[in-house]
Structures are given as structure tokens and as C-alpha cells.
Amino acid sequence: MNSPTPLRPDLYRIDASGPVLTGGRCTRCGFTGFPRAAVCLECGSESMESADIGSGGELFAESTVHMSNGRFPAGYSVGYVLFPSGIRVFGQIRAAGDHPPSMGSPMRVEIATLYEDDGKPIESFRFYPADAA
């Protein structure tokens, strides 16, 4: 099997406790966003540095997609997770059990193969309920 290729290697890092999403912080005005942008979305400064967003938050919104898009079969879930810093991050959600998690559920970040591109596994972050294995 091929080694997974990161979709965007700048979206996360792995530390001793697991994956941590990384965004960008403006050194001029302090605005922090995800993903990291080349220019601050608040003040326009090009003085951006890497900033940890975190490894989990709470489910803010969730939806199940009932149409295949060619990479994901019908029935996959996506949503926004609200991190303690106030940043909302959109991503795929791995279900745990028969039902999607409810709003406000604690969520964690994991790194997983999301799809294959010409037989190459493509990996990125996704969310899963914190109480799931």
C-alpha cells in the first residue's frame, strides 16, 4: 500500500498527545484564523505566524450529505467544530455508532485517509466524538 499523502501538510501537526490543528496569527493585530492565510484577513498585514488552534472543541453544526461527490460515498457527515479560542473549523465528521453526534458534543481531531486519488491515499484531519474510541 502507498504511504498517505497529506492533503495540506500545514493544517496540522502531531505532538505527544496527538494531532493539533494549526492556523495563522497576525503579529500586527493578533487575529487568528484557520487555515493559515498569507495575509491577515482582519488588517491586511503579511506578518503571519503559525498558531495552534487545538485538538478538539464542541460540535457547532452538522449535516449529512446524501449525494456522492465522486470521492466520498453518499451518507458522509460534515460540520463545524467550535474550538475554545472561538474559531470554527469545517471538516468531515466520523460517525460513532448509528447516529451523528448532537450539537454541543465534545469532538476531537484525528488524522485519517479521507479518499484515494489514482490509488494514492490522501489524508487530512477530521473530527470524531470525544467519547468514541
Side-chain angles (χ1 to χ4, degrees), residues 58-64 78-80 93 100-107:
E58 67 179 44
L59 187 60
F60 182 78
E62 179 273 338
S63 183
T64 300
V78 294
Y80 282 95
I93 297 173
S102 58
M103 300 314 127
S105 295
M107 304 295 285

Side-chain angles (χ1 to χ4, degrees), residues 72-119:
F72 306 115
Y76 66 97
S77 293
V78 294
Y80 282 95
V81 171
L82 177 61
F83 283 75
S85 63
I87 294 174
R88 292 183 200 141
V89 176
F90 183 80
Q92 195 172 58
I93 297 173
R94 174 175 58 91
D98 296 333
H99 302 288
S102 58
M103 300 314 127
S105 295
M107 304 295 285
R108 301 285 301 162
V109 174
E110 69 180 356
I111 306 306
T113 297
L114 299 185
Y115 62 91
E116 289 192 2
D117 186 16
D118 290 330

Side-chain angles (χ1 to χ4, degrees), residues 22-27 30-33 36-37 46-52:
T22 56
R25 178 181 303 110
C26 178
T27 60
F31 175 81
T32 303
R36 182 178 176 171
E46 294 180 8
S47 183
M48 300 294 290
E49 64 184 6
S50 183
D52 286 351

